[in-house]
Amino acid sequence: MNMHPALSLALLALTLALASALVALPAARWPRALRWASLPLLGLSGVAASSAGLWALVEGLDLGLVLPLGLPWLPWHLQLDALAGFFLALIGILVTAAGIYGPAYVRGLENGRESLAALGGFSGLFVAGMLLVVLAADAFVFMVAWELMSLASYFLVAFHHDNPANRRAAFLYLLMAHVGGLAILLGFGVLAAFAGGFEFTLLREAALSTSWASLCFALVLLGFGMKAGLVPLHAWLPEAHPVAPSHISALMSGAMLKVAVYGFVRVVFDLIGQFHWQWGVVMLAVGSLSALTGVLFAMMQSDLKRLLAYSSVENLGIIFIALGLAVLFMATGHPTLAALAFVAALYHAINHALFKGLLFLGAGAVLHSTHERDLEQMGGLLRRMPWTGLFFLIGCVAISALPPLNGFVSEWLTFQAALQAWQLDSGVLRSLIPIVSAVLALTGALVAATFVKVYGVAFLGQARSRHVRRARVVPLGMRWGQGLLALFCVLLGVLPTQVIALLDPVAVAVVGTGLPQAAAGGWLWLTPVSAETASYSAPLSILLLALIAGAAILWARRGRVRRVRRCDPWDCGLTPPTPRMQYSAAAFAQPIRRVFALAFAIDERKPAATDTRPRYRLRIADRAWSLLYVPLAQAVESAARRVVLLQSGNVRVYLGWTLATLLVLLWIIS
């Protein structure tokens, strides 16, 4: 059988991921097997996946393959088209960086009590599950791969299982993953009931009424939204992502959440095949709530990895805002504007994968060197870890959507799509989209403030603890893994027209049109709508920044012509500054906490005047727990207690219930 090389590369990536899981088994007795065999194979899997995905994007491929696996009457159907190729490349880049970063990171785990064989084995299965989800071309393979991804990531979340909080986080993640999986399965069931089969080619032909299509949309939004961490289904994410090993946290936040985005796009934009403006309004509302809630809770965190996890909620909200605009424009007959919003969503998806993966790897480097995740214990790390400080700064600038890095381009494209709301006929929609834009602008400002806090408290100033004062430069492999993602953050910010040219085949395949006018002004200028409406040139912005920096350096050198005596300033006779005098993370966030106090469940205890050892305690909880999850858990417990009453221990009672059940079923059937 002649197979296209791109599809062969995709299958090679899947095979290498499974092989990395297999060769990790000897790590139980020989820990170096994980560093020398399993993780390098995982990195090669990422290289093969990204190569296959880029090949599919460049040539606009649409390839299919049937494998004699699965059930006798239902073989596995795989496909590699432009949409799958984009997400395959996204996953591959993250996996490659994790494969480079991982060997040095896991060296610090070799003396622990955790099983390295489990870490390597489930890492390989996790990556294989993500790749297979993207390549699946029927609902059966999709759900098998989805469950493989969810179960493997559960064991990775529970890797440090000695901590009860980690076991609780893993159980919560597994529970919500299976609830979301059930919703996705029911959504496929609605499509299959009208299609007569599970292959995607049949599901596309399903003739759904508006009510059935809306039910399918609601189910997949629930299922994929739960995996993506959309509010209020986000409770598992800030619990699970921080407790996994750092390179796994990068894969979960950077890649796994995008697999959920892929699933949603595949079902809603490709398989259902119809659009309603009400769906777009729901997505805009959920996306806006997720973006604002995520950044507010990120701002309040002192745990670095937990802060980054909440930030993922915010970024997934931005992606769903862009997707909501795309659905809205498609439903109202504006395919070109829908293509602009859809490209903005894809651009932000890969941008978030890059800078969030970079930040999680940076947090892992800090944890590896200092054994600290608490921002209140950090400080002065830029002097001790200069390369990590540089790469982390690039990630902070990118996630803050500042030019000329990649985060700015995708958020700017989202704003450009939203600013075209005047073309809609409905006055309600023309009023709604500016409100969403205002929420997005507020979110952007809060994100910038959040990461100013993170970088300032962690990397600037003085060290606040003994562990941080003893921090050292991390091994070369960890620096290379961060540097690779930092390089992509710069490239995707500096060359947006080339990136959009790669994304155009996806937009054409999914929405029906692309953005041919994006490069109308040449490769230097990005013009998403038209040159008269808006344009952006990242290379020229870099040149302008370089000129400003050069002028500042010349001015500074001009002021140093005369020799200036340097000494400590007069401090009013007080003691020299100490680390305790620095601004803390909690103090930095205090004004925002006061303004948005209603959004948090705050437990703040100030020291009393009579305390011999005064202590200040601040705990901020998510109101979603008390408003949604606690009542739901209580209802389940109450129902369970009532069901237990049926278990009387009397055989005759059991036979009576069985007879009653049979009679009811016979009545329903008849």
Side-chain angles (χ1 to χ4, degrees), residues 212-520:
W212 282 110
S214 298
L215 176 61
C216 183
F217 168 79
L219 288 169
V220 297
L221 179 62
L222 174 64
F224 293 118
M226 189 170 290
K227 180 67 77 175
L230 296 179
V231 175
L233 308 173
H234 67 291
W236 67 270
L237 197 152
E239 302 292 332
H241 284 202
V243 303
S246 295
H247 62 296
I248 301 300
S249 298
L251 289 177
M252 291 182 69
S253 187
M256 187 183 74
L257 300 187
K258 307 311 173 306
V259 173
V261 174
Y262 164 79
F264 182 82
V265 171
R266 176 64 76 185
V267 175
V268 173
F269 285 80
D270 185 21
L271 301 184
I272 295 179
Q274 55 180 280
F275 303 92
H276 302 280
W277 66 266
Q278 295 91 341
W279 300 1
V281 171
V282 171
M283 293 171 65
L284 289 177
V286 172
S288 301
L289 180 63
S290 300
L292 188 56
T293 303
V295 71
L296 284 174
F297 276 97
M299 184 73 172
M300 299 302 113
Q301 304 305 311
S302 294
D303 185 313
L304 180 56
K305 292 184 70 176
R306 190 177 179 87
L307 182 150
L308 295 176
Y310 268 115
S311 174
S312 293
V313 176
E314 172 256 328
N315 280 278
L316 267 293
I318 294 175
I319 293 171
F320 271 81
I321 287 175
L323 291 176
L325 289 172
V327 169
L328 204 59
F329 287 131
M330 285 294 291
T332 53
H334 298 84
T336 303
L337 298 181
L340 173 58
F342 185 73
V343 167
L346 295 182
Y347 212 133
H348 200 74
I350 192 167
N351 285 345
H352 177 251
L354 294 173
F355 57 62
K356 187 53 62 67
L358 172 59
L359 291 172
F360 265 115
L361 295 186
V366 171
L367 180 62
H368 180 273
S369 186
T370 66
H371 305 287
E372 283 288 352
R373 283 171 33 184
D374 188 0
L375 287 172
E376 307 290 12
Q377 303 298 320
M378 298 181 192
L381 286 173
L382 185 59
R383 300 176 185 175
R384 297 165 177 83
M385 306 173 67
W387 284 106
T388 298
L390 172 63
F391 297 142
F392 204 91
L393 177 62
I394 292 174
C396 289
V397 174
I399 199 172
S400 300
L402 297 177
L405 296 186
N406 57 341
F408 173 80
V409 180
S410 54
E411 291 202 27
W412 184 74
L413 289 173
T414 305
F415 276 113
Q416 292 304 315
L419 290 174
Q420 303 306 311
W422 60 271
Q423 299 191 35
L424 298 174
D425 296 329
S426 171
V428 174
L429 296 180
R430 288 201 304 267
S431 302
L432 173 65
I433 294 178
I435 296 174
V436 174
S437 303
V439 172
L440 186 57
L442 175 61
T443 299
L446 292 173
V447 169
T450 299
F451 284 91
V452 166
K453 178 191 88 167
V454 171
Y455 198 82
V457 172
F459 287 91
L460 305 181
Q462 301 181 41
R464 294 173 171 85
S465 65
R466 180 166 55 91
H467 292 300
V468 175
R469 283 192 290 271
R470 295 181 177 180
R472 294 293 181 269
V473 176
V474 294
L476 185 63
M478 297 176 69
R479 283 178 275 158
W480 275 102
Q482 297 173 72
L484 176 64
L485 296 183
L487 176 63
F488 275 107
C489 286
V490 175
L491 289 178
L492 267 71
V494 175
L495 304 172
T497 53
Q498 286 76 5
V499 176
I500 289 179
L502 287 175
L503 298 181
D504 250 5
V506 188
V508 171
V510 175
V511 181
T513 184
L515 297 178
Q517 74 282 1

Side-chain angles (χ1 to χ4, degrees), residues 48-327:
S50 55
S51 301
L54 287 174
W55 198 329
L57 285 175
V58 171
E59 296 194 3
L61 301 176
D62 189 0
L63 307 171
L65 178 67
V66 179
L67 297 178
L69 302 173
L71 300 175
W73 62 90
L74 186 61
W76 284 16
H77 296 79
L78 305 181
Q79 74 174 31
L80 178 60
D81 58 3
L83 179 61
F86 170 77
F87 284 93
L88 204 65
L90 183 153
I91 296 169
I93 294 172
L94 264 293
V95 172
T96 302
I100 298 172
Y101 178 97
Y105 181 82
V106 300
R107 187 182 303 166
L109 304 174
E110 289 180 353
N111 297 323
R113 299 174 57 186
E114 295 85 2
S115 170
L116 295 183
L119 176 60
F122 288 115
S123 296
L125 292 176
F126 175 48
V127 172
M130 290 193 292
L131 296 176
L132 192 56
V133 167
V134 173
L135 293 172
D138 65 64
F140 177 74
V141 179
F142 189 100
M143 292 308 304
V144 169
W146 187 268
E147 288 302 311
L148 175 64
M149 177 185 71
S150 298
L151 286 173
S153 54
Y154 158 75
F155 288 103
L156 294 172
V157 172
F159 178 68
H160 298 289
H161 53 81
D162 288 341
N163 189 335
N166 294 3
R167 296 196 298 269
R168 173 181 174 273
F171 175 76
L172 176 64
Y173 167 64
L174 184 65
L175 176 64
M176 297 194 70
H178 279 81
V179 172
L182 178 61
I184 296 168
L185 184 62
L186 292 174
F188 277 126
V190 172
L191 285 171
F194 290 90
F198 296 103
E199 296 89 347
F200 285 176
T201 53
L202 295 176
L203 297 182
R204 290 188 186 96
E205 304 300 325
L208 273 68
S209 65
T210 301
S211 57
W212 282 110
S214 298
L215 176 61
C216 183
F217 168 79
L219 288 169
V220 297
L221 179 62
L222 174 64
F224 293 118
M226 189 170 290
K227 180 67 77 175
L230 296 179
V231 175
L233 308 173
H234 67 291
W236 67 270
L237 197 152
E239 302 292 332
H241 284 202
V243 303
S246 295
H247 62 296
I248 301 300
S249 298
L251 289 177
M252 291 182 69
S253 187
M256 187 183 74
L257 300 187
K258 307 311 173 306
V259 173
V261 174
Y262 164 79
F264 182 82
V265 171
R266 176 64 76 185
V267 175
V268 173
F269 285 80
D270 185 21
L271 301 184
I272 295 179
Q274 55 180 280
F275 303 92
H276 302 280
W277 66 266
Q278 295 91 341
W279 300 1
V281 171
V282 171
M283 293 171 65
L284 289 177
V286 172
S288 301
L289 180 63
S290 300
L292 188 56
T293 303
V295 71
L296 284 174
F297 276 97
M299 184 73 172
M300 299 302 113
Q301 304 305 311
S302 294
D303 185 313
L304 180 56
K305 292 184 70 176
R306 190 177 179 87
L307 182 150
L308 295 176
Y310 268 115
S311 174
S312 293
V313 176
E314 172 256 328
N315 280 278
L316 267 293
I318 294 175
I319 293 171
F320 271 81
I321 287 175
L323 291 176
L325 289 172
V327 169

